[in-house]
Amino acid sequence: MSRTPLIVGNWKMHKTIPETVDFCLRLKEELGAAVGPRVAVAPPFTSLLAAAQVLKGTSISLSAQDVFWAEGGAYTGEISAKMLAEVGCRFTIVGHSERRQYFHETDEAVNKKAAALIKEKLIPIVCLGETLAQRQEGAAFAVVEKQTRGGLEGLAVKDPENLVIAYEPVWAIGTGQTATPEQAQEIQVFIRKLLEKIFSSPMAREMRIIYGGSVKPENISELMAMADIDGALVGGASLQADSFRQIIHGAIK
Ligand code: PEP
C-alpha cells in the first residue's frame, strides 16, 4: 500500500493577494524541498494566480475551493475546470459542507463538478460528512453512504491518485471539537468499503481519504496514526504559516 499523505489548507474567504504572497513565500522557505506529505493550499479565486507564481517549481500544489461543471457559457460568476487548470491548480475542493449549507449544493452537483474536473485532469477533493443532528439520530453511516455514492458514482477515475475524499463531520468544522481518531477511522474505513463497491478493491486500497474538522498541530499525529486517515483538510489552522507547517511535519506517519 502506498498512499502518500496529503495536507490541504482551505483558506475559505480569507487573505488578500499580498497576504497570499507573504504566506506562500514563508511556506516555501520553511518547508524547503523535502516535505514528506504532499501539500496544497486552497486560496480564494482572486489569489490563485499570485499563489501559483510564488509556488512555481516547489512541491507545494495549488487547489481551488470550488468549480462549475460547464465548460463555458452564460453562467455569470462561475469558473470552469479549464480556467482552474490554466491558472495552475492541481486540486479542487468540491462539496464542502459550507457550500452544501449556504449554497444548497447537492450530491448531483458535486458529481457533475467532480466529473468536469477529472475531464481537465484536475484532482477533485470531494468533501462529505454528517451533521451533529444526523450523528445523534444514528444516521451518520447512511448520510455518508448517500453522499459517497451520489458524489462519486460514474466518475471516470483511472488512477487512485486522481480522486481524494475528505471526511469532514460538520459538527467538527470550525468548532474546535475534533472527531476522535477512532470516530474518524470508523467512518473512513466505511468509506473505503464503499469505494471498493463503486470503483474496485485495488483502487479503493490506494485512494486517499483525508480527515477535516478542527485539525491542529496538537491532534494531527494521533489522527494520522489511524490506518485509513491519509491526511487532512485544514481550515482555521492553515491560515497561519506556523501552525500549518507544524501540521505538515506532524503528519508524517
Ligand atoms: C474546513 O474548512 O474544511 C475545515 C476543516 O475547517 P477547520 O479546520 O477550521 O475545522
Side-chain angles (χ1 to χ4, degrees):
M1 191 176 62
S2 59
R3 298 193 300 263
T4 312
L6 172 68
I7 304 294
V8 184
N10 174 18
W11 294 359
K12 313 192 186 194
M13 202 169 70
H14 294 289
K15 293 197 192 292
T16 60
I17 294 172
E19 287 165 351
T20 300
V21 170
D22 273 3
F23 182 101
C24 292
L25 283 171
R26 251 193 91 183
L27 198 62
K28 186 166 129 173
E29 226 175 79
E30 289 180 7
L31 289 185
V35 187
R38 186 172 265 287
V39 175
V41 289
F45 288 131
T46 47
S47 283
L48 284 173
L49 183 59
Q53 285 164 345
V54 178
L55 298 177
K56 196 166 183 211
T58 73
S59 59
I60 305 161
S61 304
L62 196 59
S63 173
Q65 299 177 17
D66 190 26
V67 67
F68 188 58
W69 58 76
E71 286 182 9
Y75 301 104
T76 302
E78 295 297 335
I79 304 272
S80 74
K82 200 183 197 122
M83 291 167 182
L84 296 178
E86 183 184 40
V87 84
C89 287
R90 178 170 170 79
F91 298 93
T92 298
I93 298 167
V94 288
H96 191 281
S97 65
E98 287 150 16
R99 295 214 58 85
R100 292 179 190 259
Q101 183 185 348
Y102 303 126
F103 304 99
H104 313 294
E105 198 153 295
T106 61
D107 294 330
E108 191 194 352
V110 171
N111 189 267
K112 282 155 92 172
K113 290 180 175 194
L117 290 166
I118 290 168
K119 201 164 166 217
E120 285 300 326
K121 304 199 169 17
L122 288 169
I123 305 176
I125 301 173
V126 176
C127 301
L128 47 94
E130 79 286 358
T131 62
L132 184 59
Q134 289 165 333
R135 176 162 279 260
Q136 285 169 342
E137 279 161 20
F141 289 96
V143 169
V144 164
E145 175 158 6
K146 184 177 166 293
Q147 292 178 337
T148 306
R149 289 190 182 280
L152 306 184
E153 244 150 9
L155 293 182
V157 184
K158 304 252 160 26
D159 181 325
E161 284 269 313
N162 294 345
L163 179 66
V164 175
I165 319 303
Y167 169 56
E168 297 208 300
V170 180
W171 46 272
I173 298 178
T175 60
Q177 195 196 337
T178 321
T180 64
E182 293 73 20
Q183 282 173 322
Q185 167 64 19
E186 185 185 35
I187 300 276
Q188 298 199 189
V189 77
F190 174 71
I191 294 172
R192 201 174 299 286
K193 290 198 181 114
L194 292 170
L195 296 179
E196 276 184 27
K197 293 182 196 148
I198 299 169
F199 301 106
S200 67
S201 298
M203 194 79 111
R205 260 199 307 277
E206 298 292 322
M207 231 171 230
R208 279 172 298 195
I209 307 175
I210 63 178
Y211 166 81
S214 299
V215 172
K216 313 175 223 166
E218 300 77 44
N219 57 29
I220 184 69
S221 308
E222 59 184 32
L223 288 161
M224 291 298 292
M226 296 289 123
D228 289 280
I229 301 184
D230 306 317
L233 182 53
V234 188
S238 75
L239 292 172
Q240 304 301 327
D242 262 348
S243 53
F244 193 49
R245 179 184 42 78
Q246 287 171 38
I247 289 172
I248 293 162
H249 288 307
I252 302 165
K253 277 194 190 183

